[in-house]
Amino acid sequence: MRRKIPFVPILIFALVFLSINGYALNVLAPIIAAPVLPWLWAFPISLLGVFSFSVVRLSVDGFNTMFKISAHTLLVYFVSLLVFILTALLTDIYRLATASINYLAKGNFSYAERPLNAIYLGMLLSLLIILAFIYGIFKGKYAYRVIKHTLHFDDLPHVFDGFKVVQISDVHAGSLKNTKAVQKGINLINRQQADLFVFTGDLVNNKAEEIKPYLNHFSQIKAPFGQFAVLGNHDYGDYTAWSNNAAKRENLEQLKKYHAQIGFRLLLDEHVEIKKDDQKITLAGVENWGLGFGERGDLEKALRGTTKDDFKILLSHDPTHWEAQVKKHASKIQLTLAGHTHGMQFGIEAFGLKWSPVQFRYKHWAGVKKENNRFLNVNRGFGFIGFSGRVGIWPEITVIELRKAKTTT
């Protein structure tokens, strides 16, 4: 079936994009010669034309090189434009407010010229954004970070005090192109010396075959108490065309076999017991359950045979599952590990700031959260999809150390 061409969204975006570009050029007018200004329309119009053409041709050409280059270039240009005009808007609001105050006080409405320093500041910020995107596209998407958390539990079996769980999520093997960089990530995982390794879904973008070039890489991950995984929304093949339903089912079965070949045991609405000495913790995993991304998982089935007093860790790809079912479940689940959001692969996490556009979609989108005496950790993802890069939100290897909370008397 051919994809429906989104003419209306393309038209709306084109109008917004060109309006913003026009405003930006108006701001630049004082420092650019008048004959040059019309020529500055050539690049954005050409870029918009190439991108629109590649979108129209998606059903024929797919996500080819033209689409990827034009989409990424347009994204970088558009975001840098937004930063530039934000600076200009703030300046214009100040100019208008000053002029209004003078009019009310003196009866004289005098609209000051835009200060050149404000224009240069906007240009500098835009340049920094462009450089950040360039880094994110060529380096940032493989700039793996180890993020460590120490979590304390009253009911942790004492022999698991200091037990180390290493988590990754969202490999998206179809997007990976640099095997050497991926191997560095694998080496970094193994250096954490995990007691238990878990993977919280989205091994591929669409098709099982995407992981084949990396089977030997991910099969190197070992932990003494095992390697476990769950499926994510992309693993089911819902976002690509199949000749028939049988082909789609066969793809999923093949992906499950690849998990086994790597050494990742899939938990499909089931649980296992992790035993140490004479004590245990329960590790449960559900199929993907996410608001808007398929509610396949069956938490009740995964917990069948456990008791409310068991110490439980749940693997669930989408953090909306925790909000909807897990955090107030009658049987306490002490720790849930999720992924899915990627932190949108763009944002700011520095100097105490934590912001990403993804926060408008997800209540909790990265890191550890505690509510109702239960923990949720959302991994920022090992790979990437859509935007072939990461800016400010780096690929993550999570290390969680379980500690027995000290009791007070």
Side-chain angles (χ1 to χ4, degrees), residues 305-326:
T306 67
T307 72
K308 63 182 181 64
D309 296 321
D310 290 338
F311 186 93
K312 307 177 197 70
I313 299 175
L314 174 68
L315 309 183
S316 182
H317 176 70
D318 192 315
T320 60
H321 187 212
W322 190 79
E323 295 288 349
Q325 293 187 349
V326 179

Side-chain angles (χ1 to χ4, degrees), residues 7-68:
F7 284 114
V8 173
I10 290 175
L11 180 59
I12 293 173
F13 174 77
L15 291 174
V16 171
F17 174 71
L18 294 176
S19 298
I20 291 174
N21 193 80
Y23 177 64
L25 291 182
N26 177 264
V27 173
L28 289 171
I31 62 173
I32 295 178
V36 176
L37 276 174
W39 290 100
L40 295 182
W41 281 98
F43 174 72
I45 290 176
S46 299
L47 177 59
L48 184 61
V50 172
F51 173 73
S52 300
F53 176 77
S54 64
V55 170
V56 171
R57 294 280 300 177
L58 269 178
S59 60
V60 178
D61 301 329
F63 295 97
N64 60 7
T65 302
M66 178 188 293
F67 174 82
K68 292 177 181 177

Side-chain angles (χ1 to χ4, degrees), residues 186-208:
I186 301 298
N187 294 342
L188 191 56
I189 292 170
N190 283 330
R191 284 205 296 271
Q192 305 315 306
Q193 298 181 320
D195 293 305
L196 176 71
F197 173 83
V198 298
F199 170 64
T200 47
D202 278 359
L203 190 64
V204 297
N205 295 346
N206 297 295
K207 296 184 177 181

Side-chain angles (χ1 to χ4, degrees), residues 345-373:
Q345 298 166 212
F346 173 78
I348 300 171
E349 289 190 280
F351 309 110
L353 297 175
K354 184 177 181 179
W355 178 89
S356 168
V358 79
Q359 68 190 45
F360 299 114
R361 172 65 173 83
Y362 293 97
K363 188 174 181 180
H364 181 68
W365 52 272
V368 170
K369 175 181 182 178
K370 185 179 183 181
E371 190 173 331
N372 196 27
N373 203 28

Side-chain angles (χ1 to χ4, degrees), residues 108-122:
N108 178 29
F109 187 87
S110 177
Y111 196 50
E113 292 186 1
R114 185 178 288 109
L116 295 181
N117 287 343
I119 299 175
Y120 292 131
L121 176 62

